[in-house]
Amino acid sequence: MATDYDAPRNNDEDKEAESLEALQANRGSKSQSASVDVEDADTAEGIDLPGADLSGEELLIRVIPPQEDEFTCSSCFLVRHRSQVARQKGDLLFCRECED
C-alpha cells in the first residue's frame, strides 16, 4: 500500500498536552511523600569502586581449575572445550570465535 507522506498528519501533540496538564493538576491535588524506596543493591556497600582495596575480601564462589578437556584461549582468555581449538601457536591455543 502506498503512503502519502505529504498528507496532513494527526496532531497527537494536543492529546499529549492535555494529558500533561491533567497530570500536573492531579499532582498538585495529591500529597507527596518524601520517602524513597531504596533497595539493598542501591546502597554504596554494593558498589565496587575502581582502585578499591579488595585484599580483605573472600570469594563466595568455588573456583574450579580447567579440566583436562578444556583450555584457556590466549586471545579472549575464556575457558573453552578442546573441541573449540582453532589454532595452536607454540603453547598458545586460540578458540574458533577469536579466529573468525
Side-chain angles (χ1 to χ4, degrees):
M1 179 174 171
T3 303
D4 183 12
Y5 291 104
D6 293 329
R9 297 184 181 145
N10 293 338
N11 193 357
D12 292 333
E13 293 177 8
D14 294 335
K15 293 178 184 176
E16 290 178 18
E18 290 174 358
S19 63
L20 179 61
E21 291 171 359
L23 287 173
Q24 288 175 342
N26 288 341
R27 183 184 297 166
S29 65
K30 294 180 181 177
S31 63
Q32 295 181 352
S33 65
S35 66
V36 177
D37 293 335
V38 177
E39 295 183 17
D40 292 337
D42 293 341
T43 61
E45 295 169 355
I47 300 172
D48 291 332
L49 300 174
D53 181 21
L54 301 176
S55 60
E57 296 294 322
E58 293 183 27
L59 287 176
L60 301 177
I61 57 172
R62 193 176 86 198
V63 178
I64 301 171
Q67 304 298 307
E68 290 183 18
D69 61 341
E70 296 177 333
F71 73 100
T72 302
C73 177
S74 297
S75 181
C76 65
F77 303 105
L78 293 176
V79 176
R80 301 201 179 256
H81 190 265
R82 286 267 179 205
S83 63
Q84 295 290 315
V85 174
R87 180 172 59 105
Q88 182 173 359
K89 185 177 180 183
D91 292 338
L92 304 177
L93 298 172
F94 297 90
C95 69
R96 290 182 183 173
E97 287 186 23
C98 292
E99 291 298 307
D100 287 339

